[in-house]
Amino acid sequence: MSNFSNLLITYFRDYNIWFLSILIMFGSIGIPTGAFLIVIASGAFAYAGEFNIVVLLLEIWFFSCVSDGISYIMWKTIGHKFLNKSTKIKTYFQPKIIKAQNYLKRHGKGTIFFTRFLISAMGPFVNAAAGITEYKLVTFSLFVCLGDLLWTSMYLGLGYWFGDSWESIVPIVTQIGEFLTCITILLISIYFFVKIIRSNKQKS
């Protein structure tokens, strides 16, 4: 592992869940912090008897849900202030916001749920879109909690399952995450490309 990863683990051992909660918080707004690595490591530490696995799961799940909720509220507040600063900015972004709003109306639940754990790299962008478009907070919170529970269980479970050899699975987990993110971006690009072609055909 890198020196940065070792430093994160050292801080986690010193400050426990409070340090991890900060990493999760920054991760929810799009800053890569390596929180998943600490969650895997904490599962291994629980295997070694340093933590209670059930308490750890509940704590990580709680802070994940709270972090996503704060991210949503932050984007909801900042987004509107930013848009109302200038008429030009509002005119430029308004059509894009309407498109995002329509997309979330149709696919919001699934998008929020799957970007918590399966393609978690897209999670911060979905938080931002949901906040700016004022997606229903109750629905957002429900599917965030369900998705975050799977995210927590998955990474914590991997660390607990592999125990002392948890470091060997980190590169594999990282590569799978990157692969899924790339596939998602590719599929989204193809979707919008096909949509543009169809709309151009209809106009002609």
Side-chain angles (χ1 to χ4, degrees):
M1 286 195 302
S2 66
N3 291 332
F4 178 69
S5 299
N6 289 325
L7 183 65
L8 290 179
I9 291 167
T10 301
Y11 275 113
F12 172 69
R13 281 191 145 150
D14 289 341
Y15 301 105
N16 299 332
I17 191 64
W18 300 111
F19 175 67
L20 179 54
S21 68
I22 293 170
L23 295 183
I24 292 171
M25 175 71 68
F26 281 114
S28 70
I29 59 173
I31 301 171
T33 58
F36 83 94
L37 170 69
I38 305 301
V39 176
I40 294 174
S42 66
F45 299 152
Y47 172 81
E50 294 185 36
F51 298 99
N52 182 303
I53 189 70
V54 176
V55 173
L56 201 56
L57 185 146
L58 292 174
E59 287 176 339
I60 296 171
W61 181 35
F62 170 77
F63 282 113
S64 298
C65 295
V66 169
S67 297
D68 284 325
I70 291 172
S71 177
Y72 169 95
I73 293 167
M74 183 191 76
W75 281 109
K76 184 177 179 180
T77 306
I78 293 174
H80 284 285
K81 284 184 178 178
F82 175 74
L83 289 173
N84 292 327
K85 266 190 173 183
S86 166
T87 308
K88 286 183 180 179
I89 292 173
K90 193 168 185 178
T91 304
Y92 177 78
F93 281 103
Q94 199 62 39
K96 294 172 177 58
I97 290 171
I98 291 169
K99 283 182 180 179
Q101 201 168 31
N102 291 335
Y103 176 84
L104 288 174
K105 278 181 182 178
R106 295 194 301 270
H107 312 290
K109 294 174 183 176
T111 301
I112 293 164
F113 178 70
F114 287 111
T115 53
R116 299 309 102 183
F117 68 98
L118 191 61
I119 41 174
S120 53
M122 303 294 291
F125 299 102
V126 174
N127 291 349
I132 292 170
T133 59
E134 297 185 330
Y135 188 79
K136 285 184 181 178
L137 181 58
V138 174
T139 307
F140 176 83
S141 301
L142 174 61
F143 285 91
V144 156
C145 288
L146 292 173
D148 281 340
L149 178 59
L150 278 175
W151 181 82
T152 305
S153 302
M154 183 172 65
Y155 286 121
L156 198 61
L158 281 171
Y160 192 85
W161 179 267
F162 283 90
D164 295 334
S165 59
W166 69 270
E167 292 182 27
S168 63
I169 63 166
V170 171
I172 299 169
V173 172
T174 304
Q175 287 171 9
I176 291 172
E178 289 173 353
F179 174 75
L180 289 172
T181 302
C182 290
I183 290 294
T184 303
I185 292 170
L186 178 63
L187 290 173
I188 291 171
S189 302
I190 291 170
Y191 170 78
F192 282 109
F193 180 70
V194 171
K195 199 171 180 181
I196 289 167
I197 290 173
R198 283 180 178 174
S199 91
N200 287 338
K201 282 183 178 178
Q202 286 175 357
K203 285 179 183 178
S204 59

